[in-house]
């Protein structure tokens, strides 16, 4: 039973590395960003949240907590799970503690992917997702196969990327001392090729 959180600024490689960790431990990846984008595609996302997402700000805590509470009721989370992009604020982390306590579950580790801000914008502007598989690529460093149906996220444009980095520094970075105080935080250098970062993550979780 593994319950893990991946924390890191937008573009630090959370989505890419989450895929590896989930395969290794046989647990589902829970990404609030992916859930919100799925709701957007299905046309079920409240318009006010759509505008918030597209502007690079954070969706209000209550809406996100409700989303996670519903997701954690799904049977596939019974053997553990990896949270990617949640929690993003201290109130969300406190709400998660409450949800886990109610279920008698404990968090195993919080892994922080460390990447300097100067490298992040370039990663996001070159990031593409394959609509069919959900796989994430970098146009130069991790090029997609020829048959991929590539999508560029609406919030991966330079101006929005800056706002998302600001939101990370203003709200999400406060999670690090929160989890450090609980002795759950493990820092991993996120600079390098995806498989180099994967090896470091493996060592951090061993
Ligand atoms: P991500 O794919 O994790 O970068 O999330 C994309 C966008 O969805 C973010 O910029 C926020 O607008 C919204 N979002 C995703 N997860 C959260 C969260 N835990 N709290 C608030 N907003 C979120």
């Amino acid at each position: 039973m593994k319950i893990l959180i991946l924390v890191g600024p937008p573009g630090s490689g959370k989505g890419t590395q989450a895929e590896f960790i989930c395969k290794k431990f046989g647990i589902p990846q829970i990404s609030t960003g992916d859930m919100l984008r799925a709701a957007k595609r299905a046309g079920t996302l409240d318009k006010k949240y759509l505008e918030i997402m597209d502007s690079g700000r954070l969706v209000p805590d209550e809406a996100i907590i409700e989303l996670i509470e519903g997701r954690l009721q799904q049977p596939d989370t019974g053997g553990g799970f990896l949270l990617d992009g949640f929690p993003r604020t201290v109130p969300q982390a406190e709400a998660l503690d409450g949800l886990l306590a109610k279920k008698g579950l404990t968090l195993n580790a919080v892994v922080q992917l460390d990447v300097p801000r100067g490298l992040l914008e370039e990663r996001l502007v070159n990031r593409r997702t394959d609509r069919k598989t959900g796989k994430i690529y970098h146009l130069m460093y991790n090029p997609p196969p020829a048959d991929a149906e590539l999508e560029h996220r609406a919030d991966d444009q330079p101006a929005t990327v800056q706002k998302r980095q600001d939101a990370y520094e203003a709200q999400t970075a406060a999670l690090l001392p929160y989890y450090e105080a609980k002795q759950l935080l493990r820092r991993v250098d996120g600079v390098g090729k995806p498989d180099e970062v994967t090896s470091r993550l493996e060592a951090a979780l061993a």
Side-chain angles (χ1 to χ4, degrees), residues 57-132:
R57 287 173 295 136
L58 295 185
V59 170
D61 288 334
E62 314 80 73
I64 293 289
I65 292 163
E66 207 181 295
L67 193 68
I68 281 288
E69 191 166 10
R71 182 65 185 87
L72 294 186
Q73 277 159 13
Q74 304 291 316
D76 66 327
T77 60
F81 47 88
L82 172 116
L83 296 166
D84 152 18
F86 175 90
R88 257 187 166 86
T89 64
V90 171
Q92 289 181 19
E94 288 167 348
L96 175 65
D97 284 346
L99 287 176
L100 294 178
K102 247 197 312 195
K103 292 174 180 284
L105 300 174
T106 37
L107 191 55
N108 295 98
V110 179
V111 183
Q112 177 200 354
L113 273 179
D114 237 346
V115 178
R117 181 160 172 161
L119 293 180
L120 298 169
E121 178 174 346
E122 188 274 339
R123 284 191 179 189
L124 293 176
V125 169
N126 286 292
R127 171 161 74 177
R128 296 293 183 278
T129 313
D130 185 345
R131 194 179 292 124
K132 287 180 302 186

Side-chain angles (χ1 to χ4, degrees), residues 37-205:
R37 280 185 291 278
K40 177 179 167 179
R41 276 196 299 277
T44 55
L45 185 66
D46 196 317
K47 198 164 159 264
K48 61 178 188 270
Y49 300 147
L50 191 76
E51 280 163 13
I52 291 175
M53 276 180 81
D54 286 346
S55 73
R57 287 173 295 136
L58 295 185
V59 170
D61 288 334
E62 314 80 73
I64 293 289
I65 292 163
E66 207 181 295
L67 193 68
I68 281 288
E69 191 166 10
R71 182 65 185 87
L72 294 186
Q73 277 159 13
Q74 304 291 316
D76 66 327
T77 60
F81 47 88
L82 172 116
L83 296 166
D84 152 18
F86 175 90
R88 257 187 166 86
T89 64
V90 171
Q92 289 181 19
E94 288 167 348
L96 175 65
D97 284 346
L99 287 176
L100 294 178
K102 247 197 312 195
K103 292 174 180 284
L105 300 174
T106 37
L107 191 55
N108 295 98
V110 179
V111 183
Q112 177 200 354
L113 273 179
D114 237 346
V115 178
R117 181 160 172 161
L119 293 180
L120 298 169
E121 178 174 346
E122 188 274 339
R123 284 191 179 189
L124 293 176
V125 169
N126 286 292
R127 171 161 74 177
R128 296 293 183 278
T129 313
D130 185 345
R131 194 179 292 124
K132 287 180 302 186
T133 61
K135 280 194 189 294
I136 304 163
Y137 298 97
H138 184 288
L139 289 178
M140 283 170 283
Y141 306 138
N142 180 23
D147 65 342
E149 283 179 25
L150 296 184
E151 227 169 27
H152 192 197
R153 272 173 53 171
D155 58 354
D156 277 349
Q157 314 300 330
T160 315
V161 162
Q162 293 305 326
K163 292 214 190 87
R164 289 163 61 210
Q165 307 297 359
D166 291 343
Y168 180 83
E169 283 167 20
Q171 289 154 285
T172 309
L175 289 179
L176 305 176
Y178 180 86
Y179 287 122
E180 200 156 33
K182 294 176 184 283
Q183 296 183 326
L184 288 170
L185 192 68
R186 312 205 186 147
R187 294 180 65 163
V188 170
D189 178 4
V191 180
K193 293 202 200 97
D195 56 345
E196 288 166 356
V197 178
T198 298
S199 307
R200 290 178 206 138
L201 267 171
E202 220 161 0
L205 290 172

